[in-house]
Amino acid sequence: MAAHFGRLRKGATTTAVAAVAVAALSASQAPGVTTDDLGRQAAGAAQPSGDANTGGEGGGATGDSPYYTDLPPLKSPNPSPSASPTTGTTVPVGEAEAGIPATVLDAYKKAEAELRASKPGCNLPWQLLAAIGKVESGQARGGRVDANGTTYSPILGPKLDGNGFALIADTDNGAYDGDPAYDRAVGPMQFIPSTWEWAGRDGNGDGKKDPNNVYDAALAAGHYLCRFDRDLSVQSQMNAAILNYNNSTAYLNTVLSWLEYYRKGTHEVPDGTGTLPSNSSNSHPGASPSPSTPATPSMPSTPSKPSTPSTPKPGSGGSTSPTPKPPAPSSPAPSPTPPTPTQTVDHLEDANTGKLTATAGSAFGTKVAVRAESRASKGVAKVRVRFTIIGDTDATFTGGESVATVVTGSAGTATAPALVAGEKAGDFTVRATVVGRVLGGLDYTATVTPRQADTLTRTSDTALTCVPGGEFADQVELKATYKGAVAGKVAATATLIKSADDATENDKGPYFKDADGKTIRTLTDLTTDADGVLKLPKLYADDATGTFLLRVNTTGGAVLTVELKVAAAAS
């Protein structure tokens, strides 16, 4: 049976769009490749180019395991409502499908950022990882992951025992998939063990490479797609990368459909609430993943056939009543899924965060700390809290990032990394929110004060003299300090004033020149260098003689007045 592309929607528009997509994308497959009715490569067909580390399975990262075939909805600017087949309630079709669980979305974006730094020529979009994650595992079963990004139970594909699937004998002694006889695709991105062994990455920095961790799996998938110096901004190279991941034209078409959908816009939804797919490449449309086998979500269960009604049997009085049967034993009701720690959070509380102030270019002495609490005001551990710097500022967290995510400890407390002030003075906000929950956050105001100096001194004691109409031989050079230490990058102004008691600008005597050679007697936007030194431009004198004053002020209150003498040369 050919792979089904999700639930078939009514109308000629859908059919036309699907036909055009398949026709266009099928043409991108490598020449010489033949496929079976599932779109997988037949035995003996040409293989995509690769290296020696392909695991030997010939089926890319997943071993050509089954995948979800649901297509995204035909999105419109105002999604039309659709009735739910189970509850009858009206839901917006487009908005729900565009939602990606918070931790899963964070993993995709972090993987994109890492690849942008390590392999900038690859141009990997995080939406491609999201498209593959949707097709492979329904975004880790709708985001059923803990605060570290690890799935609550393993996501395993079927045994690759050659019975309807590829034949891949065990390569890991069951270390990743728990099966010592045959390999099975593992985790949110469905890597087979032989591929994970060399392609696995540590995406969350915990020192482990776990295929069931969405951060590790997303980063591994990104590196896998970026092999062979591919540039994924080139469509043919992106197609080759996707086919190398799972060698099926139908798979390529499905992934590209979700990629295009996610590029039009997505939004974050709480972990555990993502929309689950329902159609698999090895089953009929409408089959749903069996809730009784959470370890194999990509294998939809086949509905059982309805029982045949009992045939009426004639009785002693000509009765046609059916022979009564004992009631069938009822199946025990499934146990309710316990809430995740994130789902038990009711609010955030401040955890004794002090006043947030720092001088430009220095670290804040106080860190933002919050406590995730339940409705009963008890601390909730293992919850991801996101700290975001908001406002017109160049302040960052340690490491240069404006966003930091921290997992709460046993007491439910999360402390943000230290804040480092930039050069821009003023106020900004640090916002703390719970990842995966739509809850009100906490806002903290942080203030950056300008760099300061409390003392100014001349670096030379040479008298500053000039003849009328001449120029001063020496330039004024000063050094700024603050509490005895060098005061670098401190703002200053210099003005030629009328007198010690009148700080208004003088209209005669010494002067500076601007870039056009015009006379100016006030200099602004001056800054001391890294050593606290400030060297003023050359001074000139007009025809006035006498003693004149130059006053220099810095941020922080340092003031120095310098004497300038203009006198005729001795005969």
Side-chain angles (χ1 to χ4, degrees):
M1 180 186 297
H4 294 284
F5 278 65
R7 292 177 288 276
L8 298 178
R9 291 176 291 280
K10 296 180 180 180
T13 302
T14 302
T15 305
V17 170
V20 170
V22 172
L25 296 172
S26 296
S28 65
Q29 191 169 4
V33 176
T34 58
T35 59
D36 59 15
D37 62 350
L38 285 176
R40 296 195 180 93
Q41 204 171 71
Q47 298 291 325
S49 61
D51 56 18
N53 294 324
T54 59
E57 72 282 354
T62 70
D64 285 347
S65 293
Y67 56 90
Y68 285 118
T69 58
D70 296 54
L71 284 176
L74 296 176
K75 192 174 183 181
S76 61
N78 297 301
S80 56
S82 173
S84 166
T86 54
T87 64
T89 56
T90 299
V91 295
V93 176
E95 293 181 2
E97 290 292 350
I100 299 177
T103 300
V104 180
L105 180 60
D106 187 52
Y108 296 148
K109 292 185 175 181
K110 273 184 166 41
E112 180 199 56
E114 197 279 341
L115 267 299
R116 191 186 306 124
S118 62
K119 295 183 179 180
C122 179
N123 295 306
L124 170 76
W126 66 260
Q127 292 92 341
L128 177 57
L129 296 176
I132 291 176
K134 178 71 172 183
V135 169
E136 294 293 351
S137 68
Q139 311 297 20
R141 291 198 210 102
R144 292 288 299 166
V145 296
D146 63 19
N148 294 316
T150 303
T151 57
Y152 285 111
S153 58
I155 300 177
L156 299 175
K159 293 182 179 182
L160 299 176
D161 56 5
N163 184 21
F165 311 111
L167 174 60
I168 305 178
D170 175 66
T171 61
D172 65 331
N173 292 321
Y176 295 119
D177 56 15
D179 191 328
Y182 299 98
D183 273 351
R184 305 172 73 172
V186 184
M189 304 303 276
Q190 289 289 277
F191 278 93
I192 57 173
S194 57
T195 301
W196 182 261
E197 189 61 33
W198 60 267
R201 295 292 192 280
D202 177 15
N204 62 351
D206 63 358
K208 297 183 294 183
K209 299 176 182 179
D210 183 1
N212 284 300
N213 181 279
V214 70
Y215 287 95
D216 295 0
L219 183 58
H223 277 279
Y224 188 95
L225 293 165
C226 287
R227 293 184 306 159
F228 315 132
D229 294 324
R230 290 190 181 110
D231 180 358
L232 301 186
S233 65
V234 178
Q235 189 63 51
S236 61
Q237 296 189 40
M238 176 182 283
N239 292 352
I242 298 170
L243 286 169
N244 200 198
Y245 202 91
N246 187 318
N247 196 25
S248 159
T249 304
Y251 180 87
L252 170 67
N253 294 344
T254 308
V255 169
L256 290 177
S257 296
W258 282 105
L259 169 63
E260 181 64 20
Y261 181 71
Y262 286 144
R263 276 177 163 165
K264 293 178 179 177
T266 62
H267 60 272
E268 180 182 292
V269 298
D271 289 341
T273 65
T275 302
L276 292 174
S278 58
N279 298 284
S280 172
S281 61
N282 74 318
S283 68
H284 58 277
S288 300
S290 172
S292 63
T293 56
T296 56
S298 55
M299 291 298 92
S301 61
T302 302
S304 57
K305 294 181 180 180
S307 58
T308 304
S310 56
T311 304
K313 187 177 181 180
S316 57
S319 171
T320 59
S321 300
T323 303
K325 291 185 178 181
S330 59
S331 301
S335 301
T337 303
T340 67
T342 301
Q343 291 170 332
T344 66
V345 177
D346 179 71
H347 59 276
L348 287 175
E349 284 288 338
D350 176 55
N352 299 318
T353 300
K355 190 175 182 180
L356 298 170
T357 58
T359 302
S362 64
F364 284 73
T366 301
K367 295 181 180 179
V368 178
V370 299
R371 187 169 185 258
E373 295 185 352
S374 66
R375 182 167 296 184
S377 296
K378 293 184 178 181
V380 183
K382 297 182 178 180
V383 172
R384 297 175 67 83
V385 176
R386 180 179 295 143
F387 297 94
T388 306
I389 295 174
I390 301 170
D392 184 17
T393 180
D394 53 357
T396 64
F397 292 113
T398 302
E401 300 292 334
S402 60
V403 178
T405 304
V406 180
V407 179
T408 58
S410 58
T413 302
T415 302
L419 283 164
V420 178
E423 295 302 321
K424 186 172 290 186
D427 294 342
F428 64 92
T429 299
V430 179
R431 178 168 297 164
T433 55
V434 176
V435 177
R437 288 297 305 275
V438 182
L439 296 173
L442 292 181
D443 284 352
Y444 295 86
T445 299
T447 302
V448 177
T449 59
R451 294 174 184 262
Q452 302 178 38
D454 55 16
T455 304
L456 274 175
T457 57
R458 281 191 64 197
T459 60
S460 170
D461 57 3
T462 303
L464 298 168
T465 61
C466 183
V467 297
E471 62 181 53
F472 286 81
D474 297 312
Q475 291 177 243
V476 178
E477 186 177 271
L478 312 172
K479 186 166 185 177
T481 57
Y482 182 70
K483 296 182 179 180
V486 168
K489 299 182 180 180
V490 175
T493 59
T495 305
L496 291 151
I497 61 176
K498 291 184 176 180
S499 69
D501 299 324
D502 186 354
T504 58
E505 182 181 292
N506 206 339
D507 56 0
K508 62 181 179 178
Y511 61 90
F512 300 104
K513 291 182 179 180
D514 64 12
D516 297 324
K518 295 180 180 178
T519 299
I520 56 172
R521 290 188 167 91
T522 298
L523 298 176
T524 58
D525 298 326
L526 300 172
T527 307
T528 62
D529 64 16
D531 297 321
V533 175
L534 174 62
K535 191 171 186 178
L536 300 182
K538 185 174 288 189
L539 278 161
Y540 302 87
D542 59 13
D543 294 335
T545 60
T547 299
F548 300 90
L549 300 178
L550 168 67
R551 180 163 292 174
V552 182
N553 300 270
T554 70
T555 304
V559 180
L560 180 65
T561 303
V562 181
E563 283 191 352
L564 306 171
K565 293 184 178 181
V566 180
S571 58

